[in-house]
Amino acid sequence: MFSPDIHDLARKVIEAYAGQKRKIVVAESCTGGLIAAALTEIPGSSAVLERGFVTYSNDAKTEVLGVMPDVLEQFGAVSAQAAEAMAQGALEFSHADVAISATGIAGPDGGSPSKPVGLVFLGLASRGGAVFHYQCQFNGDRDDIRLQAVREGLKLLMTQAGD
């Protein structure tokens, strides 16, 4: 289903987290569940993926993840602040150890000079207290952008595999 490199990254994530008996939660907007799909493609993923949230609308981000409306109003859904809040909310509403979030503009429309198509923010939060984001600017069509976000999200999860 996914390219060999994404499949290999997902396998490494599952193996690393399973070996540590740690769980992951995902909160996805622009990727629409693709990070969870990449992880669940791997046998044994049920030991690692605790749950996933697809919160495409602002209302969903607020109602399901507890993202404060003022964060969305002030910074927008596609922002570092929203990505971090999504990850923190996912962690809060799960039993996972690490949360990854993705929010961005996959296109082909919806971009602006300050937030162009391809802009994606990945957020990460962990029970150990880490909260940060990673800003990406991807190129290509909608599918390319979404798959690049999945790839980078999996890489970001690997940075916390030894936490």
Side-chain angles (χ1 to χ4, degrees):
M1 186 173 188
F2 289 94
S3 64
D5 67 313
I6 289 176
H7 185 83
D8 189 51
L9 273 169
R11 182 186 51 75
K12 287 178 181 174
V13 168
I14 295 299
E15 288 174 357
Y17 281 78
Q20 298 170 9
K21 298 190 183 331
R22 295 174 74 216
K23 296 206 177 266
I24 295 168
V25 60
V26 298
E28 302 184 66
S29 185
C30 66
T31 50
L34 289 175
I35 296 172
L39 291 170
T40 58
E41 192 172 81
I42 307 303
S45 60
S46 60
V48 174
L49 184 63
E50 201 271 334
R51 69 184 69 184
F53 301 97
V54 176
T55 54
Y56 208 68
S57 70
N58 284 355
D59 285 343
K61 289 172 183 66
T62 299
E63 295 167 8
V64 176
L65 298 175
V67 175
M68 298 303 294
D70 63 323
V71 168
L72 299 172
E73 290 167 17
Q74 184 175 356
F75 303 104
V78 179
S79 65
Q81 295 83 355
E84 290 181 8
M86 288 171 65
Q88 288 175 297
L91 200 60
E92 182 179 340
F93 294 110
S94 74
H95 302 287
D97 302 293
V98 176
I100 183 88
S101 68
T103 184
I105 303 170
D109 303 315
S112 69
S114 62
K115 292 184 180 182
V117 168
L119 177 65
V120 174
F121 290 92
L122 299 167
L124 193 130
S126 74
R127 294 274 179 216
V131 179
F132 60 91
H133 70 275
Y134 181 54
Q135 181 176 336
C136 308
Q137 181 62 55
F138 299 124
N139 297 308
D141 65 17
R142 183 176 180 82
D143 290 342
D144 294 335
I145 290 165
R146 294 173 72 208
L147 289 172
Q148 288 171 77
V150 170
R151 187 176 293 110
E152 291 305 313
L154 294 171
K155 288 179 185 176
L156 192 56
L157 282 168
M158 283 304 296
T159 69
Q160 296 299 300
D163 190 14

